[in-house]
């Protein structure tokens, strides 16, 4: 079981990264202008496009890392349960 500790630490680091990314997205989106600006030449339109691109990038990485976090968490849990099962089956003999 102790051989899973490095994997659990790596999973925890990944979880912290996902949390930091979520907080960064929240911080970036708090500065977002909720009004729709339609005129093509204004600075507000350029700022909205820039903000949308930043949020799109954060969302893309957030989704990828969250899926990776869940998959690795499930694999880690299965490996742990298999280790428990093997330990209990060999302890009985």
């Amino acid at each position: 079981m102790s051989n899973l500790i490095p994997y659990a630490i790596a999973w925890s680091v990944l979880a912290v990264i996902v949390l930091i990314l979520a907080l960064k997205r929240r911080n970036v989106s708090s500065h977002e202008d909720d009004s729709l600006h339609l005129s093509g030449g204004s600075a507000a339109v350029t700022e909205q496009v820039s903000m949308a691109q930043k949020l799109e990038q954060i969302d893309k990485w957030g989704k990828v890392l969250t899926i990776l976090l869940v998959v690795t968490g499930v694999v880690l849990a299965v490996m742990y349960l298999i280790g428990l099962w093997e330990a209990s089956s060999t302890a009985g003999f």
Side-chain angles (χ1 to χ4, degrees):
M1 301 274 196
S2 63
N3 59 350
L4 293 179
I5 291 176
Y7 299 111
I9 291 171
W11 184 85
S12 299
V13 169
L14 183 60
V16 168
I17 291 170
V18 169
L19 180 64
I20 290 171
L21 197 58
L23 292 174
K24 179 177 173 74
R25 192 211 189 283
R26 183 176 176 201
N27 186 33
V28 169
S29 68
S30 70
H31 302 297
E32 187 177 21
D33 184 10
D34 291 335
S35 302
L36 180 61
H37 300 282
L38 298 175
S39 61
S42 74
V45 172
T46 306
E47 187 176 324
Q48 279 186 330
V49 169
S50 173
M51 182 73 64
Q53 289 172 344
K54 284 180 189 176
L55 290 174
E56 186 177 320
Q57 281 296 107
I58 292 171
D59 287 343
K60 180 183 83 168
W61 282 106
K63 288 175 185 175
V64 168
L65 291 177
T66 300
I67 290 169
L68 183 63
L69 179 71
V70 169
V71 169
T72 56
V74 168
V75 168
L76 197 58
V78 167
M79 289 172 58
Y80 178 75
L81 291 174
I82 289 172
L84 280 179
W85 182 63
E86 288 176 349
S88 67
S89 65
T90 58
F93 293 107

